């Protein structure tokens, strides 16, 4: 019996002319081998499609060359961050502990601490200031706080008067 | 002018993935395939007036894609040691060894792989394949039939 392999190939792709379909169906009714052939070809179509789809998806997954720039930038940034962190950990800042009484929160006072400024005792200074324009500033400070005037306040006053 | 630009955009949105996949199947390189997409649409824009409507936009684009990709493949083969640019690998069907279907598919020639891609993956009709490949309709039928007859033997 002649097998219609060529016609079967056209049929599974939907390319067999309508006028040839009756002849094919009639043959398929009588030929077991051609019926198996249709099953094999349909399986082959599916496997071929899967193979090609897999290959294309693998090709798309490969990173393009342009990402190398971003990779290099990223790893350079990470390396720089690690180096900075190490430098911060190994260098010790100069911290001097002071008692609560001597702790000075005024930044201006701290900056000028090492300068050669001779501070008169607060009480003597206050006496000197009394009656002058600077008294107004002292009164202002007294209104704001309950603590006594500090050296820092007097230093501020010196700067203000300059 | 605005209408023309809109048409190009529509065509790009509709068919750029088909062009990319086809380029990938031929060039086997993602970067080259992306470059090919750009080049194909540039060529399409430059040759819009030459399109006479004898085939669909998709078919025409894929024909441009094929021509460009083969140009790239030819320039690659000049720089490589391969003798035959269509030769993906070889297998001898007379050797009685257990070979899987995937191994055979990986060793198809470029032409065979292209035919399978257009039919099985992209789902083109025989007529479209004939226009893209630049061969006759009967030639498409015969080539596809022969490829399948050879591959059928390796089905489990």
């Amino acid at each position: 019996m002649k097998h219609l392999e060529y016609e079967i190939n056209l049929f599974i792709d939907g390319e067999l002319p309508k006028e040839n379909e009756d002849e094919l169906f009639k043959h398929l009714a009588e030929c077991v081998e051609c019926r198996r052939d249709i099953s094999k070809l349909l399986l082959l179509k599916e496997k071929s499609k899967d193979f090609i789809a897999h290959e294309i998806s693998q090709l798309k997954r490969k990173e393009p060359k342009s990402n190398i720039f971003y990779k290099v930038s990223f790893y350079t940034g990470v390396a720089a961050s690690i180096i900075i962190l190490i430098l911060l950990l190994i260098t010790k800042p100069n911290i001097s502990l002071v008692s609560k009484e001597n702790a000075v929160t005024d930044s201006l006072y701290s900056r000028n601490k090492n300068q050669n400024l001779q501070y008169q005792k607060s009480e003597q200074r206050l006496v000197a200031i009394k009656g002058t324009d600077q008294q107004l500033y002292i009164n202002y400070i007294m209104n704001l706080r309950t603590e006594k005037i500090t050296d820092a306040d007097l230093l501020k006053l010196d700067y203000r008067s300059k | 002018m605005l209408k023309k630009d809109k048409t190009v955009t529509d065509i790009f949105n509709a068919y750029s993935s088909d062009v990319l996949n086809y380029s990938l199947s031929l060039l086997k390189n993602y970067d080259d395939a992306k470059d090919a997409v750009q080049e194909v649409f540039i060529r399409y824009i430059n040759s819009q007036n030459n399109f006479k409507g004898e085939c669909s936009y998709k078919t025409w684009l894929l024909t441009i894609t094929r021509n460009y990709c083969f140009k790239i493949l030819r320039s690659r083969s000049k720089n490589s040691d391969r003798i035959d640019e269509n030769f993906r690998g070889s297998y001898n069907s007379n050797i009685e060894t257990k070979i899987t279907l995937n191994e055979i598919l990986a060793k198809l020639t470029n032409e065979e792989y292209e035919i399978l891609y257009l039919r099985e993956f992209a789902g083109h009709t025989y007529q479209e394949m004939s226009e893209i490949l630049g061969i006759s309709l009967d030639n498409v039928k015969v080539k596809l039939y022969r490829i399948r007859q050879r591959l059928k033997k390796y089905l489990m």
Side-chain angles (χ1 to χ4, degrees):
Chain A
M1 181 190 284
K2 184 195 169 193
H3 298 295
L4 303 179
E5 291 167 333
Y6 186 76
E7 286 76 10
I8 287 170
N9 266 275
L10 298 180
F11 174 71
I12 59 167
D13 289 334
E15 300 278 351
L16 184 71
K18 295 283 180 188
E19 55 268 21
N20 296 105
E21 278 184 2
D22 286 340
E23 186 190 342
L24 176 64
F25 294 152
K26 198 175 169 185
H27 175 81
L28 287 173
E30 296 164 1
C31 180
V32 174
E33 207 167 313
C34 282
R35 288 203 295 272
R36 280 191 203 134
D37 203 35
I38 284 187
S39 306
K40 276 187 185 175
L41 286 174
L42 288 171
L43 181 62
L44 179 63
K45 277 171 70 72
E46 196 182 319
K47 286 192 175 286
S48 302
K49 183 181 177 182
D50 289 345
F51 177 84
I52 294 168
H54 176 75
E55 207 174 73
I56 285 179
S57 71
Q58 288 296 310
L59 285 166
K60 281 182 179 177
R61 240 179 244 148
K62 283 180 187 173
E63 289 175 18
K65 280 183 271 185
S66 55
N67 269 357
I68 287 176
F69 171 75
Y70 296 110
K71 266 189 172 177
V72 169
S73 306
F74 174 73
Y75 288 119
T76 305
V78 168
S81 304
I82 291 170
I83 290 167
I84 290 168
L85 193 64
I86 291 169
L87 284 172
L88 283 171
L89 288 171
I90 62 174
T91 53
K92 293 178 184 177
N94 292 326
I95 301 171
S96 54
L97 298 176
V98 296
S99 63
K100 193 178 177 183
E101 292 77 26
N102 294 329
V104 179
T105 56
D106 189 284
S107 60
L108 185 61
Y109 183 81
S110 302
R111 257 202 315 276
N112 292 293
K113 196 176 175 184
N114 297 326
Q115 289 181 10
N116 291 327
L117 290 174
Q118 291 181 353
Y119 298 104
Q120 295 174 11
K121 286 185 180 176
S122 301
E123 294 297 327
Q124 289 174 341
R125 281 296 310 279
L126 284 171
V127 168
I129 287 166
K130 197 174 182 181
T132 66
D133 295 338
Q134 292 173 340
Q135 179 66 41
L136 292 171
Y137 176 70
I138 297 297
N139 292 342
Y140 169 71
I141 295 294
M142 290 299 287
N143 285 332
L144 292 178
R145 315 183 197 155
T146 54
E147 299 93 354
K148 62 178 181 181
I149 300 297
T150 64
D151 286 340
D153 295 323
L154 293 172
L155 184 61
K156 257 189 193 168
L157 204 56
D158 288 336
Y159 274 86
R160 279 164 65 86
S161 62
K162 280 178 185 175
Chain B
M1 187 65 183
L2 281 171
K3 195 177 176 184
K4 221 179 194 182
D5 288 339
K6 192 183 175 185
T7 307
V8 171
T9 308
D10 291 341
I11 288 171
F12 182 83
N13 290 337
Y15 302 123
S16 60
S17 59
D18 295 308
V19 172
L20 178 64
N21 287 338
Y22 192 27
S23 305
L24 268 172
S25 74
L26 292 172
L27 299 175
K28 302 289 183 286
N29 181 284
Y30 188 61
D31 286 332
D32 291 348
K34 285 203 303 182
D35 290 342
V37 172
Q38 288 183 29
E39 184 63 32
V40 163
F41 279 93
I42 289 169
R43 289 186 179 196
Y44 163 74
I45 290 165
N46 290 338
S47 61
Q48 274 184 98
N49 296 331
N50 298 339
F51 180 60
K52 292 166 188 173
E54 291 161 342
C55 59
S56 67
Y57 276 110
K58 186 177 176 181
T59 307
W60 190 37
L61 273 172
L62 293 179
T63 307
I64 298 171
T65 306
R66 186 173 192 270
N67 291 338
Y68 176 74
C69 289
F70 271 90
K71 183 185 166 190
I72 298 297
L73 288 171
R74 275 193 291 274
S75 67
R76 272 190 202 169
S77 68
K78 281 178 190 172
N79 299 330
S80 72
D81 295 329
R82 294 174 76 182
I83 299 166
D84 183 359
E85 66 189 20
N86 288 323
F87 192 67
R88 277 165 53 106
S90 66
Y91 65 93
N92 190 341
S93 58
N94 293 329
I95 297 172
E96 291 181 4
T97 56
K98 278 195 175 179
I99 303 171
T100 63
L101 176 64
N102 280 355
E103 284 171 357
I104 294 299
L105 285 168
K107 290 181 178 178
L108 290 174
T109 65
N110 283 344
E111 188 191 26
E112 290 172 333
Y113 186 86
E114 194 184 357
I115 288 171
L116 272 188
Y117 167 85
L118 288 171
R119 179 57 231 162
E120 311 300 5
F121 183 81
H124 288 288
T125 63
Y126 286 10
Q127 180 61 39
E128 288 169 347
M129 286 170 67
S130 145
E131 287 164 4
I132 294 167
L133 296 168
I135 57 179
S136 68
L137 188 60
D138 287 335
N139 210 348
V140 169
K141 292 176 184 178
V142 167
K143 283 181 188 283
L144 190 54
Y145 169 74
R146 284 178 184 164
I147 292 166
R148 283 176 176 163
Q149 291 303 110
R150 208 156 58 190
L151 292 174
K152 215 167 52 171
K153 285 186 274 187
Y154 299 96
L155 276 171
M156 298 294 287

